[in-house]
Amino acid sequence: MGKNKRNKSSKAKKTDSAFQKKKVKVGKKLAKFSETKISIKTRKILLPTQHGQKDDQQVFKGKCISEYIVGSKHTNCNQRAQNILNMQEMLSNNVSLIVANAGSLIERLGILIQDPEDNVRQVAMVLTRTVMNQIKSDDLIPFIEVFITQLSSAMLHINKGVQKTSINALYCLLQNHISVTMKSSTPFLSSLVTLLSTNSSKNSTKEYFKVLAMILRFYGKSEAPNFFGMPSLKAKTRVSNSCTFV
């Protein structure tokens, strides 16, 4: 009987070993009970750019175009202006680079023409002319509505300098891509009329009328659309051919 009791007690100790406290040596950590070890393997996936070429293939003064676009957001106005000038030099006579980055470029230009600093807006206009003179209308179509919306907003800006720069940018757009621009003309025409009715400066009014003159020349003798709920205007008004933008 004594032996049977001993055997039973030894079996109980063996079966209950999972509940016994494990001894740990000093300096070593005890592994957690029922711990699952997970190892993850990762691999890099390289995707080609939308236009089939890397942005960093073309570098100017040690930077690619995307870095200059980021630099144009710098908090220092002189740094912003310098990055814009570098972009302008890089994009001169470089249509392929303009087309490859048209979306980010045009969206950024729409913001830069509303910059509070005069020097930044001036160089932004130089860059705007460089881009608009080279890009084709077909390549501009996907981005023109966003740009026109930005121009319309800039025309109604509280800063008179921003208003004037927006008119300059609109004139540049009309000069190079008038047919495509007039298809999305409702927003900026509405802003233009509002601006004309509230602006009292003779010099500024002259610039606005130069833009209107170009629009009337575009319509020619046909009837202009009734955008503002007013009687439709027939473009029979004589517009001086000497009306050029300075």
Side-chain angles (χ1 to χ4, degrees), residues 80 111-122 150-167 195 198-199 201 204 207-208:
R80 290 200 300 275
I111 296 170
L112 289 171
I113 61 174
Q114 302 180 58
D115 195 279
E117 301 298 331
D118 292 339
N119 64 325
V120 176
R121 291 198 307 274
Q122 286 173 7
Q150 290 170 316
L151 288 180
S152 303
S153 175
M155 285 180 203
L156 303 178
H157 200 280
I158 192 170
N159 187 325
K160 298 293 183 184
V162 173
Q163 292 178 6
K164 186 176 179 180
T165 306
S166 68
I167 294 297
L195 195 58
T198 57
N199 200 300
S201 172
S204 298
E207 294 172 354
Y208 306 148

Side-chain angles (χ1 to χ4, degrees), residues 17-240:
S17 60
F19 299 96
Q20 291 179 356
K21 188 175 180 181
K22 295 182 179 180
K23 294 181 180 180
V24 185
K25 293 184 179 180
V26 178
K28 290 186 178 181
K29 292 183 178 179
L30 182 65
K32 292 181 180 179
F33 182 70
S34 69
E35 184 181 25
T36 304
K37 293 181 179 180
I38 301 173
S39 59
I40 300 172
K41 292 181 180 181
T42 60
R43 289 183 181 180
K44 291 183 180 179
I45 300 174
L46 299 176
L47 298 175
T49 57
Q50 186 178 356
H51 297 276
Q53 64 178 18
K54 291 182 181 179
D55 183 49
D56 58 0
Q57 283 179 346
Q58 298 191 44
V59 176
F60 179 76
K61 293 184 179 180
K63 290 184 179 180
C64 59
I65 189 69
S66 59
E67 289 177 297
Y68 284 126
I69 291 173
V70 172
S72 68
K73 303 175 185 178
H74 201 282
T75 53
N76 184 288
C77 64
N78 294 324
Q79 289 291 328
R80 290 200 300 275
Q82 188 58 54
N83 278 283
I84 296 166
L85 282 173
N86 288 337
M87 261 196 288
Q88 191 274 328
E89 289 183 50
M90 189 178 187
L91 295 173
S92 295
N93 302 316
N94 199 338
V95 181
S96 61
L97 190 59
I98 290 174
V99 173
N101 298 275
S104 54
L105 268 173
I106 292 168
E107 183 182 359
R108 190 67 197 141
L109 284 172
I111 296 170
L112 289 171
I113 61 174
Q114 302 180 58
D115 195 279
E117 301 298 331
D118 292 339
N119 64 325
V120 176
R121 291 198 307 274
Q122 286 173 7
V123 292
M125 268 310 306
V126 175
L127 179 59
T128 300
R129 292 189 186 99
T130 299
V131 172
M132 294 304 168
N133 289 344
Q134 295 184 78
I135 194 170
K136 293 180 180 179
S137 294
D138 290 340
D139 295 323
L140 184 63
I141 288 172
F143 319 107
I144 194 165
E145 287 191 8
V146 174
F147 190 59
I148 286 174
T149 302
Q150 290 170 316
L151 288 180
S152 303
S153 175
M155 285 180 203
L156 303 178
H157 200 280
I158 192 170
N159 187 325
K160 298 293 183 184
V162 173
Q163 292 178 6
K164 186 176 179 180
T165 306
S166 68
I167 294 297
N168 292 350
L170 177 59
Y171 189 86
C172 178
L173 187 63
L174 290 169
Q175 272 186 320
N176 294 280
H177 310 283
I178 190 165
S179 297
V180 176
T181 305
M182 294 310 296
K183 288 179 181 178
S184 306
S185 59
T186 305
F188 77 77
L189 282 175
S190 178
S191 297
L192 195 62
V193 169
T194 303
L195 195 58
L196 278 167
S197 63
T198 57
N199 200 300
S200 58
S201 172
K202 290 182 179 179
N203 293 330
S204 298
T205 305
K206 246 184 218 183
E207 294 172 354
Y208 306 148
F209 272 117
K210 287 176 183 179
V211 172
L212 287 175
M214 182 174 282
I215 294 169
L216 289 174
R217 279 199 295 269
F218 170 76
Y219 284 116
K221 293 182 180 180
S222 62
E223 189 173 348
N226 184 8
F227 288 107
F228 314 109
M230 300 186 300
S232 57
L233 279 173
K234 286 189 177 179
K236 292 181 179 179
T237 308
R238 292 182 181 178
V239 180
S240 173

